[in-house]
Amino acid sequence: MAGETGNKKRIGAFARNVRGLREAGTLQIVAMVVFVLFSIFIARYSWALPGGEEPTAITNDAERALYDTRAYLAADLVEQDDRIVLVVYDDQALINLEKRSPLPRDALAEALSNLDTMGAKAIGIDILFDQPQSEDPELVETLRSMQTPTSVAYATVATNQADIVYQQQLFLDEFMDAIEEGGTNSRRASIRLDDEFGATRVWPDIISGLPPLLGRAMLEDAGGPVEAFEGYEGAIEYRRALRADFADEADPDAPVEGAVEEPLFQTLSIELFLNLDPAVAEFVAQEIAGKYVLIGGDILDYDRVATPFTSWTGFEPSGLSVHGELIAQMLDGKRMPQIPTLGLWVMAFVVVGSAVVVALLEWSAPKLVPLMLVLAALYIGIPFALHFNGVDTYGLPAVGWLVGWIITFTVVTSAARSAGAAQRSFAQGALGKYIPRDIAEAIIDEPDLLSLGGQKREIFVLFSDLEGFTKMSHAIEPEMVAKLLNRYLEMLSKVVLDHGGVIDKYVGDAVVAFWGAPIAREDDAERALNAGYAIWQAGEDFRAEVAATDPNLPKIGKTRVGLHYGEAVVGNFGGETRIQYTALGDSMNTAARLEAANKPLQSSVSASREFIEKSNPDWWVPMGRIVLRGRAQPVDIYQPKPDFPEEDRRKLEEAVQVSDSNHELAVQLIDQVVAGHPEDSALENYGNRIRNLNDGGAYVLG
């Protein structure tokens, strides 16, 4: 039954909001449609626009960060790949050879000659021969005479702007022409990698007229499986190599703690193939036979490239290693299926459509927040699930789905509720006469905050009263009384609301307000304290305003304010037909008595110690301990003195501290302060009170 009622409510809310959409203004409807279309666009193109440009750096970077996470976590953990060998020259090798980069051509020619006798399936050289060296004829002759299929690095200015300039390309073309003249097993191959967005994540796009990619060329020459990758420009399936040391003889497959990563491919220094000793040659040949051999540099800060794993491991492998990954992917036949364009569009519409439905259902925050968390997990989880199942998720807009959903939900919610904007505005206006706008809006969104009944709350209470107003009201016309009273209450109400307080009630010319309910804020104490002083200032402004308006009116008295912090029962009291949101309890009575105490104390604003301790202001000073009328327990009071000298404030604080133990010293300290402020009637009153304390160290108000 409860479920049926809930369903009816949801259907009712949905229908009401659909009607609201129809009743919304034309401009708002147009704006909503524009934003929904924009959401669909983001949900489809958060990675890149049709022309390849980034839509926004925010979504673009976030999408790629998520992709890198998927790629790393979903990567296969494999043993070292024994099909591919990297022959490298690194910084140490050049030092040992007493050479500088690039590698001398005669050394490379010697290494190639030795490799050619070791039975490799194919050799790929990732070195651009774009500048002349004296040993070029020797290398050209070696490459022309190679028996092993050999692919030689090639690039153009149009495709490798960061690697080669026009003059270098001219030389490279001449060099390659010299190699390929006549019959030879050496041919040019592209070494271009796609690092457009800061990392090499996908295969480079295929450009007409450019030789096949290095790895593809090597497999073609060796009769390897390349047909399945014809036209492939999708993601690179990187793998992670894990070496584990096994110590448990009963379970030799169980890795011990502390397993470390090792290079995915066997890496040999090019020095092994120079000045080759026959005994060493036999051993090295066993490592080369039947394998794909890649030759190139591994110079730090030059030959390294970022991959999806770099953000996780901080490691950048050599570009040679990435070419090895491409070869391995082709050998494994792992052409990752890509999501069709139609599927991306369908998902974009599904995401935006679900946001429209949820917005029209008008779910409350307790239901909406979990739903949004579930959707966020779903939209991020779908790409992870696909990636773990071997699908190419590069370009799948998980962040775009979230952003599109949020934008759609926001604009549709706004438009659907526009029909009730007038009613909401009226409610805000009505509540806003008694409650701050932010609290009023919270109550409109959560009506339960003002449900019938009450609850105990710690609140800051303000009670103010206008001295002599009742007497004055008998001396002037009722119409003028009403005019003056409305103006006075308007000024004081504005102070309360501007400081975030709730107006509890008006009692004639008295204003009762509190802070801390129905919503408590961290700075309620400071707000209430400042409001108490501002109320008195507003009263003084009112006196001046009335005097300037009509000098014949009776003199307006001053506004007195009492402030107290304590427990009260706050809520709606009354019946279903007539209720009042108010606070009840001893704290309200204490604030009222503090206000009244200002008259015998010859002060304007008084606050209890309980109130002051919550805000700890340095512009309020202690003014002794009093017993309020009708009360038994004494109250320590404070009064505002913004421009009071710091030395005098310390004397008053010391007087309060020693009042019980050294009454004479307390009297002396207060007399010193009073002497320095002969115009301060409240201080003079304190000086008299300190001499007439009861046995409990407090002054009893008559």
Side-chain angles (χ1 to χ4, degrees), residues 147-159:
Q147 299 300 309
T148 306
T150 304
S151 299
V152 184
Y154 182 77
T156 66
V157 175
T159 59

Side-chain angles (χ1 to χ4, degrees), residues 349-539:
F349 277 97
V350 168
V351 167
V352 172
S354 68
V356 171
V357 172
V358 174
L360 295 177
L361 285 174
E362 202 177 86
W363 283 15
S364 61
K367 291 182 179 179
L368 181 60
V369 171
L371 173 65
M372 293 185 70
L373 293 176
V374 169
L375 288 174
L378 179 65
Y379 294 151
I380 293 176
I382 287 175
F384 273 88
L386 292 173
H387 204 116
F388 272 84
N389 283 279
V391 177
D392 181 359
T393 62
Y394 190 83
L396 195 61
V399 174
W401 292 343
L402 286 175
V403 173
W405 195 96
I406 292 172
I407 293 174
T408 301
F409 175 82
T410 303
V411 298
V412 173
T413 299
S414 174
R417 297 178 182 177
S418 63
Q423 294 90 331
R424 184 181 181 90
S425 178
F426 173 79
Q428 286 178 335
L431 286 172
K433 297 181 186 299
Y434 306 97
I435 298 175
R437 173 172 289 273
D438 59 337
I439 296 180
E441 290 178 348
I443 290 170
I444 292 171
D445 292 333
E446 297 184 57
D448 290 344
L449 289 171
L450 294 183
S451 58
L452 192 63
Q455 55 179 303
K456 287 185 178 181
R457 300 289 290 269
E458 300 286 339
I459 62 173
F460 300 87
V461 184
L462 178 151
F463 200 103
S464 75
D465 191 38
L466 181 58
E467 184 181 43
F469 186 81
T470 302
K471 181 178 179 181
M472 183 194 72
S473 66
H474 291 97
I476 59 177
E477 295 295 325
E479 292 81 3
M480 181 57 71
V481 173
K483 181 179 179 180
L484 291 175
L485 181 59
N486 284 334
R487 175 57 181 159
Y488 176 73
L489 295 178
E490 177 188 2
M491 294 175 69
L492 267 61
S493 298
K494 185 177 186 304
V495 171
V496 172
L497 296 178
D498 286 349
H499 287 79
V502 175
I503 299 174
D504 180 290
K505 63 175 74 72
Y506 302 119
V507 183
D509 57 88
V511 175
V512 184
F514 57 81
W515 286 254
I519 296 174
R521 292 164 294 200
E522 291 184 0
D523 60 346
D524 277 340
E526 184 178 354
R527 289 171 181 260
L529 193 72
N530 292 333
Y533 187 68
I535 285 282
W536 168 75
Q537 290 178 311

